[in-house]
Amino acid sequence: MITAAIFSLGITTEVVDGSLMLAKIDYLPTSIPPISPQNALAQEIARQCNKYFTDSSHIFDLPLKPVGTLHQQKVWRAIEAIPVGSTQTYGELAKYIRSGAQAVGTACGANPYPLITPCHRVVSSQGIGGFMQEDAPGLFRQIKLWLLQHEGALQ
């Protein structure tokens, strides 16, 4: 588990077709006791996440378990193209990939690799928007704000 200012990251790895891959990242409250990485890939994920917390321009290079529908994968690829320090609205991203804003939001909420696929960079046209299927003030919205501030997208 990796801990940032207001959250920790839970990392799940899995063997897929004989290769160890990142299967999921969860945002967790800091009240959950940390667990040391249990394998070499988890150690590398922790190293790269800690590098991101030091330098928000860090580019992740990790083996990701293939998941998601074709639409979700299309949304996630488009999100990966949003530069550090920038945001796009759900509507802008939807227009770019020829989808609907709500479908983009749903795909963001289903993202198993937050931070790696930075869905926090997708915001509402009226404000910050939801995060991790949470559309009200709470831990996940605080995390989204923290990440956007860390990257310089919010002051």
Side-chain angles (χ1 to χ4, degrees):
M1 184 160 33
I2 302 113
T3 302
I6 63 166
F7 61 92
S8 295
L9 294 175
I11 297 169
T12 304
T13 59
E14 217 174 275
V15 176
V16 179
D17 295 330
S19 296
L20 191 59
M21 297 184 165
L22 174 59
K24 189 166 179 24
I25 292 178
D26 290 303
Y27 288 111
L28 305 169
T30 56
S31 60
I32 295 179
I35 299 170
S36 297
Q38 301 295 303
N39 58 52
L41 178 58
Q43 290 172 356
E44 177 60 14
I45 296 164
R47 186 191 72 73
Q48 288 193 33
C49 287
N50 285 323
K51 185 157 176 81
Y52 166 83
F53 293 136
T54 303
D55 176 8
S56 65
S57 66
H58 172 72
I59 297 171
F60 290 94
D61 182 22
L62 298 165
L64 305 179
K65 176 184 174 183
V67 294
T69 66
L70 290 176
H71 180 264
Q72 288 170 335
Q73 292 172 9
K74 188 176 185 179
V75 170
W76 299 335
R77 280 192 307 275
I79 289 169
E80 289 171 353
I82 302 171
V84 173
S86 300
T87 60
Q88 276 191 339
T89 67
Y90 296 99
E92 290 169 336
L93 195 60
K95 185 176 180 181
Y96 176 73
I97 65 167
R98 296 188 175 136
S99 181
Q102 189 170 11
V104 167
T106 300
C108 286
N111 176 9
Y113 311 115
L115 202 63
I116 311 295
T117 301
C119 54
H120 58 273
R121 296 180 191 155
V122 183
V123 298
S124 168
S125 59
Q126 279 86 36
I128 191 165
F131 190 56
M132 304 304 301
Q133 300 178 344
E134 181 179 271
D135 198 21
L139 176 63
F140 293 130
R141 294 274 294 276
Q142 290 176 345
I143 292 169
K144 185 173 186 172
L145 285 168
W146 187 92
L147 292 168
L148 291 171
Q149 289 169 345
H150 173 64
E151 293 183 354
L154 291 178
Q155 300 308 322

